[in-house]
Amino acid sequence: MSLANLSLPLFLSGLAALAALLAILQLLRVRYQRVDVVTTMFWKEAIEESRARVLLKRFRRPSAYVLVLAIAALLWGALAEPESPASDQRDYLVLLDGSAVMQAGDRYAIAVRALTDQISQLPKAQRRVVWCGSDHRVLLDRGEVSLLLSERLKERRPEASPASVDAFLGEHLTQTMRETSVFVLGDAGVSAATLASLPESVTVERVQAGKASIKRLNNAGITAIGVGEALSGRYDAADVYVRVDLTGDVTTPDLVLEPNQATATELNPGEWVFRDLPADGSTITVRLLASDDLLVDNEAKLTMPNRERIRVRVDESMAKLLNPLLRIDPAVVVVDKNPDIVFGEGDSMKPSFQLVAREAQEEAFVLRDQWPDAQAREAVEAAFRQLGIDQIDATSLAADLATSIQLGAETGVQRQVHVWSDLFSADYNLVQSSAFPLFIAKSVRWLVGQPELVSYLAVGEVSDALDIAGVSFAPTQLGATYQSADGEEIVATLGSLSIRAELAELDSILGMPSPSGHRSSTTWLILLALLLLLLEWGFFQKGWMP
Amino acid sequence: MALDSAAIFDAAFLDSLKHLRIVAGRVPAGGRFAEHRSQDMGGGVDFKDFRPYSPGDDFRSIDWNIYQRLGKVFLRLYEELEDLPLYILTDHSKSLYQEQQPRIIPSLRATLALASISLNHHDTVGVFPFSDDVQNRWPPQGGGGKVMLLADRLSTLGPGGETNFASSINRFNSYNLRRGLLVIVSDFFDPAGLEEVTNALKSVRHRLLFVQLVRTSDRSPDLSGDCRLVDCESGQAEEVSVTDRLVSRYAEAYDRFQNGLAQFASKRGAGLLQLDVDQPVSPQLAKLFETGSYVV
């Protein structure tokens, strides 16, 4: 037997306090009936030996005190909620599915009702209730009263997140040594692989909470959204791609974009694109105009990349050669002041493209950057590829220069490109080659450090290991956030439906069991206290109680 | 508050007085003690002899001491018996007006009954209501036709103050009345205690007859539980938890009081008549005169 609500010392202290309080009340509970008499002469003589009750004299009727104390003790005991533990020592784990699919119809309400109605059947000391939504939260821990569960569920709603019951089982129960019964409330699936990985001491069953009003979802939902380079070539714009999947009996809905109100073009069935949306860092919302069973995936938000045109200053020595190329680059604006990068001799605080004498450096092309200590070679090679160096006919150049064309790397605070000035003379065909404009354009982009637009989100592919072009990616309660290399946070939200895995068929039970041996004595204590109260009332009416 | 005179002296009671007078008057007027009249006609009230009581004899002459010792009623014979005035001290303290059946009614009836007998014999009667002091409500006077007048005077009596035998007796003594028979009609519940009562009575030079107003509940009160007992005269309260044991002690205290009063009466040569206030007065008095019996 254990006390669910009170520790033993607290219970005993409370009982002692009740006993003391009732003793005082009993002692003071003297009601005098006034009687007018012709004389008190004889009473005075008689009562000298037996004064009326005073506070410190013993009780006139100890039995009355015992009866009242018994009533108080029973009620105090009921408050402590004593219960005998189940005969087994199993853990009972209830997983409440809070994923997006539970939003459909009344399935969530049904699951919650079943949970609150049946949780008392499980012994307090051995049960836990865990929320499985976008994260895992303990709603009711071992030893806590079921009233807390109702309070904690008040603000809970199904979330726009994948089902996470499978993930919880995989993370927490595959290594357990304890006998555990898991009850799943909701529609979340459990993969066959996860089920197979659980030890034999763990059983997983799905509680049939009731008949949901919606059995099969008719749903249209956005399952992927991404940003890519604008097909128009605009540097300061981006194209947004959207994938829409249909389930059940629904027609393809229309898409709307906010705030821009642009029109989507369907590239393939279910694949749409919004062209030339401003890459200004604003948040766009794509919404499906659909009336279906699940609304959580009818909307997706994305924060657009912030792409301003690159300000370039060109020294006179290179202006004649480079200005025509730079002016036609949509990503570049040629300026005299406040440049982002400099072609020519720049100050050390700005990234720059410099022509150097052949004697000044051994290699024809040298890149300066804060290279990482580890994997520096790979980084350098990647950078050269990014500049399109591999497109340059190095053989021809080498022949012209009568020397080998080498690539080098140096460490520097700012990014710089150093090229032999000889290569920029008309004597050599670097300038004439078709790779030269690409080389200049790529150099501009490399010097300023702009990431490529390859960001996207998709259902079922959300992973904190995702890395796109050096951009870290982490899932959140709402979907995912991007964090660019310079720390800028880009938020994208997306509802999701299910995990992409082979699901196992769980054993189904009608309700959570009541383990043998588990008994709560609270109700009996209260009934007994009421019975004694009736008895006390009867005694009082008969004048047997003071 | 004065009680309704019709309630005190109703027609039935007044009628019973006639019977009482007849009973008491069976002895020929002036001849009650003729055969024992002394030739030595001294002044004052001098004891002469005893003779057995006969129904109709003047109760004033009953020797209570002899009854105490021998269990028989005898008359004390005096030379000037017909001149033995009757004085009645009637208790009208607050306590007599309490209770559902107030004791004042039997008190006044007993007073009138005894007075009427003497008045009928053309004897001098004085009635002095008392509580914390004495009123000279009916100065000593004779005359048989004055019974109704006395009744009328008594019916206007209202509640007095707290019982105080000491001051009342002192006041009465100060009247310096001719020696006679002093009848005290009272419950004798003086807050000062029995000792104060008896001490005060010791100073009385008249013959004494106590008519004690009693009822069953005086000894066996019907109380239970926790009570606040309030003395209706003094207002003092006693808080008691009534138990069987306490009631037993109460009865013992009451018995001590009764015994003390009886012992004093015996020592003093006084008579003690216990008048049950819940029973008709005249039959109880008639029983005294007819059989010569009384309850001590």
Side-chain angles (χ1 to χ4, degrees):
Chain A
M1 177 69 67
S2 63
L3 301 176
N5 274 356
L6 301 171
S7 63
L8 185 61
L10 183 58
F11 174 75
L12 292 175
S13 303
L15 197 57
L18 275 173
L21 180 63
L22 288 171
I24 293 172
L25 290 175
Q26 198 77 350
L27 287 167
L28 295 175
R29 192 182 174 186
V30 176
R31 296 179 305 160
Y32 291 113
Q33 174 192 359
R34 179 188 165 118
V35 180
D36 290 323
V37 294
V38 294
T39 183
T40 53
M41 220 170 27
F42 309 119
W43 288 110
K44 275 183 189 171
E45 280 189 50
I47 64 176
E48 280 307 315
E49 297 178 37
S50 54
R51 300 298 302 175
R53 284 179 287 180
V54 293
L55 187 60
L56 298 179
K57 291 282 187 180
R58 63 183 174 84
F59 286 134
R60 188 56 57 106
R61 290 193 180 88
S63 54
Y65 172 70
V66 169
L67 180 58
V68 174
L69 182 59
I71 293 169
L74 285 170
L75 291 175
W76 182 245
L79 185 71
E81 289 196 40
E83 59 177 26
S84 47
S87 53
D88 60 24
Q89 290 303 309
R90 291 186 78 84
D91 283 345
Y92 297 94
L93 185 60
V94 181
L95 303 181
L96 178 62
D97 181 12
S99 65
V101 71
M102 292 298 286
Q103 203 183 71
D106 56 358
R107 53 190 65 197
Y108 178 70
I110 290 173
V112 167
R113 194 160 49 241
L115 174 61
T116 52
D117 288 348
Q118 298 176 33
I119 193 62
S120 301
Q121 290 165 202
L122 301 174
K124 278 194 195 66
Q126 294 161 246
R127 72 182 182 204
R128 277 197 310 160
V129 178
V130 176
W131 169 265
C132 292
S134 60
D135 61 353
H136 300 133
R137 282 175 192 256
V138 175
L139 292 178
L140 194 70
D141 210 342
R142 290 190 185 89
E144 290 184 331
V145 293
S146 50
L147 275 176
L148 284 174
L149 181 63
S150 303
E151 285 302 308
R152 289 170 184 166
L153 282 173
K154 271 183 184 173
E155 301 301 322
R156 286 267 160 189
R157 295 291 178 272
E159 296 167 328
S161 67
S164 58
V165 167
D166 183 83
F168 180 88
L169 292 174
E171 284 173 34
H172 297 282
L173 291 179
T174 54
Q175 306 294 325
T176 185
M177 307 294 285
R178 293 178 64 86
E179 302 266 337
T180 306
S181 292
V182 180
F183 304 112
V184 177
L185 273 166
D187 295 327
V190 178
S191 68
T194 300
L195 211 57
S197 69
L198 297 176
E200 284 184 9
S201 58
V202 177
T203 60
V204 182
E205 293 166 305
R206 192 185 302 279
V207 178
Q208 292 296 332
K211 286 189 179 174
S213 58
I214 297 174
K215 288 187 179 175
R216 291 176 59 86
L217 287 180
N218 295 320
N219 187 43
I222 298 173
T223 52
I225 187 168
V227 179
E229 294 285 350
L231 194 63
S232 63
R234 283 178 57 185
Y235 178 80
D236 57 351
D239 291 344
V240 174
Y241 295 85
V242 179
R243 191 173 73 207
V244 176
D245 282 324
L246 307 178
T247 304
D249 186 18
V250 287
T251 55
T252 304
D254 293 328
L255 273 74
V256 295
L257 182 73
E258 294 170 3
N260 304 52
Q261 304 294 325
T263 306
T265 304
E266 190 171 13
L267 301 175
N268 293 310
E271 293 184 347
W272 303 76
V273 65
F274 292 93
R275 298 283 187 201
D276 288 338
L277 298 183
D280 55 1
S282 63
T283 300
I284 60 164
T285 301
V286 179
R287 193 170 285 124
L288 288 180
L289 296 180
S291 177
D292 54 356
D293 291 333
L294 201 64
L295 301 178
V296 69
D297 58 354
N298 288 9
E299 181 181 293
K301 292 187 180 183
L302 189 67
T303 301
M304 298 295 288
N306 198 354
R307 266 189 165 184
E308 292 179 355
R309 293 175 75 184
I310 304 167
R311 297 168 64 84
V312 177
R313 181 166 65 85
V314 184
D315 282 358
E316 273 204 42
S317 59
M318 288 191 276
K320 187 177 176 184
L321 176 64
L322 296 179
N323 277 355
L325 293 175
L326 293 172
R327 288 187 199 284
I328 63 172
D329 188 339
V332 170
V333 57
V334 178
V335 298
D336 292 328
K337 293 179 184 177
N338 301 321
D340 293 322
I341 60 173
V342 175
F343 275 81
E345 289 289 333
D347 57 50
S348 60
M349 301 307 294
K350 300 283 185 189
S352 59
F353 186 105
Q354 297 180 25
L355 298 178
V356 298
R358 193 191 290 197
E359 297 76 26
Q361 66 186 41
E362 186 178 343
E363 299 87 358
F365 296 89
V366 170
L367 298 183
R368 279 188 180 178
D369 198 1
Q370 295 180 27
W371 303 109
D373 290 335
Q375 301 167 334
R377 184 183 173 85
E378 287 82 2
V380 172
E381 288 176 357
F384 275 114
R385 278 197 301 277
Q386 193 174 348
L387 292 182
I389 294 290
D390 54 340
Q391 302 296 319
I392 297 174
D393 185 356
T395 306
S396 171
L397 271 182
D400 287 348
L401 290 168
T403 185
S404 62
I405 299 299
Q406 294 181 23
L407 307 177
E410 292 175 359
T411 302
V413 175
Q414 290 289 343
R415 283 187 173 181
Q416 290 179 351
V417 179
H418 291 185
V419 180
W420 283 345
S421 57
D422 290 348
L423 292 176
F424 269 63
S425 69
D427 297 334
Y428 302 102
N429 58 3
L430 172 62
V431 175
Q432 307 302 326
S433 76
S434 60
F436 182 71
L438 181 65
F439 170 64
I440 297 299
K442 291 284 189 178
S443 294
V444 168
R445 285 154 178 76
W446 182 81
L447 283 170
V448 84
Q450 284 278 353
E452 297 295 328
L453 293 178
V454 290
S455 55
Y456 75 98
L457 279 173
V459 171
E461 296 168 17
V462 171
S463 163
D464 57 1
L466 186 64
D467 183 7
I468 304 172
V471 176
S472 65
F473 178 90
T476 68
Q477 187 174 350
L478 299 177
T481 56
Y482 284 116
Q483 192 166 36
S484 64
D486 57 4
E488 185 182 357
E489 197 169 79
I490 303 168
V491 176
T493 61
L494 187 68
S496 70
L497 293 173
S498 65
I499 56 174
R500 295 183 179 182
E502 182 191 343
L503 298 179
E505 191 69 33
L506 295 179
D507 291 336
S508 179
I509 56 175
L510 289 178
M512 285 186 271
S514 184
S516 66
H518 171 238
R519 256 192 330 276
S520 173
S521 307
T522 304
T523 306
W524 291 110
L525 290 175
I526 293 174
L527 285 174
L528 192 55
L530 285 173
L531 189 65
L532 290 181
L533 269 172
L534 279 173
L535 199 65
E536 199 250 359
W537 179 82
F539 286 166
F540 182 75
Q541 292 299 315
K542 287 185 180 294
W544 297 346
M545 291 281 289
Chain B
M1 82 203 154
L3 296 170
D4 180 19
S5 61
I8 305 171
F9 305 122
D10 57 14
F13 171 72
L14 293 173
D15 200 52
S16 71
L17 288 186
K18 290 179 195 168
H19 170 72
L20 202 61
R21 286 202 291 272
I22 291 170
V23 167
R26 282 192 188 135
V27 176
R32 287 177 298 238
F33 310 110
E35 64 273 31
H36 299 281
R37 191 178 297 279
S38 167
Q39 294 181 0
D40 184 6
M41 302 296 286
V45 180
D46 294 323
F47 169 69
K48 187 172 182 298
D49 201 355
F50 290 103
R51 75 165 173 81
Y53 178 83
S54 299
D57 283 341
D58 192 336
F59 66 90
R60 291 175 295 175
S61 303
I62 295 173
D63 190 304
W64 306 110
N65 264 339
I66 288 181
Y67 182 83
Q68 289 265 25
R69 285 190 278 120
L70 302 180
K72 293 181 182 176
V73 184
F74 280 84
L75 292 182
R76 291 170 72 94
L77 300 178
Y78 295 91
E79 288 287 338
E80 300 172 16
L81 184 61
E82 58 272 68
D83 291 332
L84 190 67
L86 176 66
Y87 308 117
I88 306 178
L89 277 173
T90 304
D91 189 347
H92 76 116
S93 57
K94 278 187 205 169
S95 61
L96 266 68
Y97 288 81
Q98 290 297 320
E99 304 171 296
Q100 239 176 345
Q101 306 291 337
R103 298 184 202 216
I104 190 60
I105 294 176
S107 170
L108 294 176
R109 287 183 177 181
T111 301
L112 185 65
L114 294 170
S116 70
I117 295 172
S118 289
L119 285 172
N120 198 40
H121 291 157
H122 303 283
D123 291 326
T124 304
V125 174
V127 178
F128 305 91
F130 79 96
S131 58
D132 52 358
D133 202 350
V134 171
Q135 292 181 31
N136 196 359
R137 178 61 64 116
W138 183 267
Q141 55 192 283
K146 294 189 178 175
V147 174
M148 293 313 297
L149 194 62
L150 176 60
D152 201 49
R153 195 70 62 85
L154 289 175
S155 65
T156 61
L157 191 65
E162 279 187 53
T163 308
N164 191 327
F165 265 85
S167 66
S168 300
I169 296 297
N170 283 341
R171 170 77 74 174
F172 179 77
N173 286 342
S174 70
Y175 293 158
N176 255 333
L177 297 171
R178 189 154 62 92
R179 283 180 76 180
L181 174 64
L182 175 61
V183 179
I184 303 177
V185 182
S186 172
D187 54 11
F188 292 90
F189 292 155
D190 189 322
L194 181 63
E195 198 172 330
E196 283 289 310
V197 173
T198 54
N199 284 342
L201 290 173
K202 280 175 186 171
S203 61
V204 172
R205 58 188 183 87
H206 306 283
R207 293 197 63 215
L208 288 170
L209 172 60
F210 302 143
V211 178
Q212 187 187 17
L213 306 169
V214 298
R215 60 178 10 129
T216 311
S217 60
D218 286 344
R219 188 178 185 277
S220 306
D222 185 22
L223 293 175
S224 62
D226 298 320
C227 300
R228 179 175 287 116
L229 305 174
V230 181
D231 189 310
C232 61
E233 289 189 6
S234 65
Q236 286 181 351
E238 289 292 334
E239 291 169 353
V240 301
S241 298
V242 180
T243 61
D244 291 343
R245 207 168 163 197
L246 182 66
V247 170
S248 174
R249 288 202 194 96
Y250 171 92
E252 289 170 6
Y254 180 83
D255 289 342
R256 282 195 293 274
F257 173 84
Q258 286 297 104
N259 293 337
L261 186 63
Q263 282 173 9
F264 173 78
S266 173
K267 270 189 192 174
R268 186 64 171 77
L272 174 60
L273 169 65
Q274 288 186 335
L275 192 70
D276 187 343
V277 298
D278 292 321
Q279 302 297 326
V281 169
S282 298
Q284 293 180 74
L285 293 177
K287 192 177 175 186
L288 169 67
F289 299 131
E290 285 178 351
T291 65
S293 66
Y294 68 99
V295 176
V296 177

